[in-house]
Amino acid sequence: MSDAGRCTWCGTDPLYVAYHDTEWGVPERDGRALWEKLVLDGFQAGLSWITILRKREAFRAAFAGFHPEVIARWGEDDIARLLADPGIVRHRGKIEATIGNARAYLAIEEKSGFAPFIWRYVDDVPLQNTWADQASVPAQTALSQALSKDLGRAGFRFCGPTITYAWMQATGIVNDHLTSCHRHAVLR
């Protein structure tokens, strides 16, 4: 597949290309997987996604496989352990947010389920955009702003409207593959 047949943002790095071709934009219906990706997108704030992608397995090991039931019980000793882990992004605020986000996730999961809570914003059907070039793709939308506010009211942190939109794109809530990308039609 030539580079012209995919979105330009992934470049030519084999890890990034594989992520684009197999994961990015695929509708995710599992609540725990949605939460993991939201946490990782929060860690990405201020960094490039490839940085997080390269550290994803270390994140999974450090964060107990992203099981919110485990993480929600963590305290200062766990924060100190994570701050000493060179395999992840060591940012106290993001680590503390992850623990709080695990608690917020569990509260939503108990009430309605996290996946149904998220997917209701698009009536359970991925939004289909038709962007011809990367410059046309927005960094955030009115929908990501509304979802970000609701996540914040539910107790989530590090999920502003730009992070939320990137997460919506990555988890297939919105199909933002360029129309020239071989994945656009597959995911339509």
Side-chain angles (χ1 to χ4, degrees):
M1 171 77 36
S2 73
D3 292 340
R6 67 175 50 91
C7 299
T8 55
W9 58 260
C10 67
T12 59
D13 182 292
L15 181 63
Y16 224 4
V17 169
Y19 171 74
H20 169 275
D21 288 357
T22 62
E23 289 183 59
W24 192 78
V26 175
E28 180 58 67
R29 305 288 181 163
D30 177 81
R32 196 223 47 87
L34 282 165
W35 180 76
E36 173 183 338
K37 182 67 173 77
L38 183 59
V39 168
L40 289 173
D41 273 329
F43 270 98
Q44 186 252 328
L47 304 169
S48 67
W49 177 246
I50 191 66
T51 299
I52 302 303
L53 196 56
R54 287 182 179 134
K55 295 176 174 280
R56 183 165 58 172
E57 291 309 315
F59 269 105
R60 286 176 173 158
F63 283 91
F66 285 103
H67 291 287
E69 303 83 5
V70 174
I71 297 169
R73 296 189 309 263
W74 286 359
E76 194 55 46
D77 288 347
D78 298 290
I79 293 169
R81 172 183 55 80
L82 293 165
L83 286 170
D85 188 334
I88 66 167
V89 173
R90 296 176 287 182
H91 184 287
R92 177 177 280 278
K94 293 175 182 181
I95 292 167
E96 289 173 347
T98 299
I99 296 168
N101 291 353
R103 294 171 184 148
Y105 166 87
L106 291 173
I108 292 173
E109 185 68 17
E110 187 175 307
K111 273 192 229 174
S112 63
F114 189 69
F117 172 81
I118 296 304
W119 278 95
R120 71 183 167 97
Y121 285 86
V122 293
D123 294 327
D124 209 37
V125 178
L127 297 178
Q128 301 298 318
N129 288 321
T130 54
W131 310 117
D133 56 73
Q134 202 61 50
S136 299
V137 181
Q140 58 180 273
T141 63
L143 181 59
S144 75
Q145 292 166 3
L147 180 51
S148 172
K149 282 183 184 177
D150 287 349
L151 287 167
R153 280 192 280 270
F156 281 83
R157 293 179 25 222
F158 279 95
C159 58
T162 301
I163 289 171
T164 300
Y165 194 66
W167 173 67
M168 291 168 65
Q169 293 169 311
T171 58
I173 296 165
V174 58
N175 180 2
D176 268 358
H177 283 280
L178 301 179
T179 54
S180 59
C181 177
H182 71 279
R183 297 292 289 163
H184 186 271
V186 172
L187 295 170
R188 188 175 40 224

